[in-house]
Amino acid sequence: MLEAAIDAGAENCETADGVHTVTTSMESFNAVRDTLAQKFGDATEGKIAWLPKVAANVGGEQAEALMDLIDALEDNDDVQDVFTNAEFDAATLQKLSA
């Protein structure tokens, strides 16, 4: 799959648990999707998603406030997707999920 994806113009292809995640630019998305569909059949899912180039570590009160904001955005019917470059350490995630 990696070789076919790269040949189709993708930037990267990762496989985990039988699922292939192909990364490409927005400009190449349709061409890569169509080329891979011709070779392997239609994908289960194909979408454009924003991926961060730089991660931001967030902890403490900032993490709690950010999670509240993300929850509020996800609950809003007018918001389709929420993207963030925030990374939370395991201790912060455990505290927030409690």
Side-chain angles (χ1 to χ4, degrees):
M1 176 59 91
L2 174 62
E3 185 177 330
I6 299 296
D7 288 345
E11 295 172 4
N12 193 20
C13 178
E14 296 177 6
T15 303
D17 299 327
V19 175
H20 304 290
T21 302
V22 178
T23 307
T24 189
S25 66
M26 282 183 40
E27 296 79 20
S28 300
F29 175 77
N30 289 328
V32 171
R33 181 195 59 208
D34 294 345
T35 301
L36 293 176
Q38 287 175 353
K39 188 164 188 165
F40 300 106
D42 290 335
T44 304
E45 181 179 25
K47 65 181 179 179
I48 295 175
W50 297 103
L51 300 176
K53 291 185 179 186
V54 177
N57 292 319
V58 181
E61 290 180 16
Q62 290 178 332
E64 188 173 336
L66 180 57
M67 288 303 290
D68 289 343
L69 174 61
I70 290 171
D71 288 340
L73 289 170
E74 288 176 340
D75 290 342
N76 187 317
D77 292 336
D78 293 332
V79 177
Q80 295 176 0
D81 294 305
V82 177
F83 300 96
T84 182
N85 67 334
E87 285 190 354
F88 306 97
D89 60 36
T92 301
L93 285 176
Q94 186 175 15
K95 179 182 174 186
L96 293 173
S97 65

